[in-house]
Amino acid sequence: IILVDMELIYESLYDVLNQYYKTYLGNKYVEIGLQSHRVFCRVNDYCKIIIIATPEQAEKFPIPLLNRMEKYMYGVRENLTEKERYVVDALEGWVKQLTTYEGIEATEHDIRKTFLGYHRETIPTIVKSYAEPIQKYADRYKKDIPKDLRKQEARLVV
């Protein structure tokens, strides 16, 4: 079961996480409630629950819920190639340089004031989103250039 933005039922998952099941005809059931509405749901022996949340959302989870879970942090950065990481580092350096005033480095809050909507995953997401289309364009562009011109282009780059 994968849950995203389901804060209303997280507290009712305690019975599942505590393995407080009721057995009927050899099957396990757990009571899940949402406000005054309660439902018995069948639980498979191999059931896994994955909750996807941002760190900010996870901070608001009840502590007992967090204590019963394995927690993993996964972001766009974990899926970048080496070239993409290089571009991300360069862009983040540019952002820091742009938001640094009189040698005082800006906090993330200051950066958000400069770039509305900025988040620590903004730059990696943009790079990942545009890397593939740019690479396809570059590959197509290189195919259209005669080999002798590509050699000259390579010499100019070096």
Side-chain angles (χ1 to χ4, degrees):
I1 300 172
I2 298 177
L3 302 173
V4 180
D5 294 330
M6 300 292 292
E7 288 84 5
L8 293 174
I9 69 164
Y10 291 159
E11 287 192 38
S12 65
L13 295 176
Y14 289 130
D15 288 344
V16 177
L17 297 171
N18 291 331
Q19 297 181 359
Y20 182 69
Y21 305 123
K22 295 183 179 177
T23 306
Y24 180 72
L25 297 175
N27 296 315
K28 296 177 184 174
Y29 292 86
V30 68
E31 190 175 15
I32 302 286
L34 179 59
Q35 295 173 346
S36 63
H37 185 70
R38 305 203 63 76
V39 176
F40 277 96
C41 299
R42 187 172 171 193
V43 179
N44 187 295
D45 289 336
Y46 303 104
C47 177
K48 303 283 184 203
I49 297 175
I50 299 171
I51 297 176
I52 299 175
T54 65
E56 291 80 17
Q57 289 172 323
E59 287 175 3
K60 296 175 187 172
F61 289 172
I63 300 297
L65 178 65
L66 288 173
N67 289 340
R68 287 174 178 80
M69 305 177 107
E70 294 181 35
K71 294 162 271 310
Y72 299 96
M73 181 84 131
Y74 183 80
V76 178
R77 290 177 192 276
E78 284 75 30
N79 203 22
L80 296 175
T81 66
E82 190 174 330
K83 288 179 183 178
E84 292 166 346
R85 280 192 198 109
Y86 176 79
V87 173
V88 167
D89 291 342
L91 289 172
E92 286 177 342
W94 177 79
V95 166
K96 283 184 181 176
Q97 184 180 12
L98 188 67
T99 55
T100 298
Y101 179 71
E102 293 182 357
I104 301 171
E105 215 171 281
T107 64
E108 191 168 321
H109 179 71
D110 297 331
I111 295 171
R112 280 192 211 133
K113 284 192 220 175
T114 306
F115 298 99
L116 297 177
Y118 182 84
H119 184 271
R120 65 179 163 266
E121 292 288 320
T122 300
I123 293 175
T125 301
I126 291 170
V127 170
K128 194 66 182 169
S129 296
Y130 287 99
E132 189 175 327
I134 289 171
Q135 186 61 49
K136 283 181 183 176
Y137 176 79
D139 291 344
R140 186 178 50 201
Y141 174 72
K142 286 182 180 177
K143 287 178 190 173
D144 295 340
I145 300 174
K147 286 186 180 182
D148 57 330
L149 286 177
R150 271 191 258 157
K151 289 178 184 175
Q152 290 176 2
E153 179 185 19
R155 276 188 250 138
L156 289 172
V157 171
V158 174

